[in-house]
Amino acid sequence: GANIAIIAGVIAAVAIVLICLLIVMLRYMYRHKGTYHTNEAKGTEFAESADAALQDDPSLQDTGDNSRKEYF
């Protein structure tokens, strides 16, 4: 009687530990799955060089406003 209770307790403890490990592994897998987003300009993957890719980027164009220059 006591041996069966000890064996059942050990089996239950192992089952609980395995279920907890499974939950942790699934959370880790779903958290790190997916794509990442970059801030690169669209359509620049076929450019010949980095300079050519950034040449037409409107966010990098000089606005012509010389009153707001920064000096370091």
Side-chain angles (χ1 to χ4, degrees):
N3 288 338
I4 294 175
I6 293 173
I7 293 173
V10 169
I11 291 174
V14 169
I16 290 171
V17 168
L18 288 176
I19 290 171
C20 290
L21 284 175
L22 180 66
I23 290 171
V24 168
M25 285 176 43
L26 287 175
R27 282 191 61 180
Y28 178 79
M29 286 174 53
Y30 283 118
R31 223 173 184 189
H32 294 283
K33 181 181 176 183
T35 59
Y36 61 93
H37 302 283
T38 62
N39 294 326
E40 295 176 2
K42 303 241 185 298
T44 59
E45 57 270 356
F46 300 112
E48 295 177 12
S49 67
D51 291 333
L54 296 175
Q55 186 174 7
D56 297 326
D57 190 0
S59 65
L60 298 176
Q61 298 296 326
D62 188 16
T63 60
D65 185 11
N66 293 333
S67 65
R68 295 179 10 153
K69 287 188 175 181
E70 294 182 16
Y71 297 97
F72 296 100

